Amino acid sequence: SSHLDHNNKDCMALLLGKIFDAWSTKHNPYLQEVECQCSATSTVPSRPNNSSTMSVYDPSATWPTAKADFPRVELSEFSAADAASAEMAVFHCLESSSHGNTLHWFHNLSEQWCSRNAGRSDTSCVLVGNVLEAPIYHDKVSMGFMYVGPNNVYPLHGHSAK
């Protein structure tokens, strides 16, 4: 199990590195600050060894969720898109079975999402954050992937971080 955990952390660190590579082409101060918070190993907190870390599937979480499969087919459509090589590197890394399948994917079942989209939802995961399913723990940064399918509306709503 320890060997698998180590391999998973390496895979997730590689994926996060691809995201930071793509962000570096944007020259955006906000993205640079998030990268600094995640990259500085001396400031990245350790996951607490107690049960206070909430699961993204917990019914008392901020919004209701349901487990979902990795949206491999949907994301593979982006691989054919004409996108910058740094962004394509993120997709290719995510598509590899050792990356995308190891993330915990979920649907947001909140009324805000589903009522605007005829009952349909997004498919999301947390890569960095303060939930149990985030392979990279951080108490102040939350990052992940969200697939919003065709003809779905991204409703106005807020995400909060502690």
Side-chain angles (χ1 to χ4, degrees):
S1 173
S2 176
H3 178 66
L4 290 175
D5 290 343
H6 182 70
N7 284 343
N8 188 38
K9 288 179 185 177
D10 288 347
C11 289
M12 294 303 114
L14 176 65
L15 180 57
L16 189 58
K18 298 286 184 191
I19 293 168
F20 292 154
D21 289 346
W23 285 3
S24 70
T25 66
K26 309 302 179 210
H27 309 291
N28 180 305
Y30 174 75
L31 296 178
Q32 292 168 347
E33 174 58 28
V34 172
E35 180 179 359
C36 285
Q37 287 185 44
C38 288
S39 298
T41 55
S42 62
T43 62
V44 175
S46 298
R47 185 179 303 274
N49 288 333
N50 58 39
S51 61
S52 67
T53 304
M54 186 175 285
S55 170
V56 73
Y57 306 116
D58 189 325
S60 66
T62 307
W63 62 88
T65 62
K67 291 183 179 185
D69 291 329
F70 170 50
R72 179 179 304 284
V73 173
E74 294 86 345
L75 292 179
S76 69
E77 295 171 8
F78 290 108
S79 293
D82 184 25
S85 61
E87 281 82 358
M88 291 311 298
V90 173
F91 277 113
H92 292 301
C93 190
L94 186 60
E95 281 183 310
S96 85
S97 61
S98 61
H99 295 85
N101 284 337
T102 59
L103 292 166
H104 295 266
W105 295 87
F106 60 90
H107 297 296
N108 180 339
L109 300 180
S110 73
E111 181 66 21
Q112 287 175 304
W113 263 103
C114 296
S115 66
R116 294 289 311 272
N117 293 301
R120 296 182 310 273
S121 180
D122 64 312
T123 304
S124 300
C125 69
V126 181
L127 176 63
V128 177
N130 64 352
V131 294
L132 287 174
E133 294 76 18
I136 301 170
Y137 178 82
H138 202 288
D139 63 346
K140 295 187 174 41
V141 175
S142 186
M143 292 173 45
F145 293 97
M146 175 184 282
Y147 173 75
V148 179
N151 304 312
N152 276 8
V153 175
Y154 184 85
L156 183 61
H157 68 291
H159 290 274
S160 65
K162 293 180 183 175

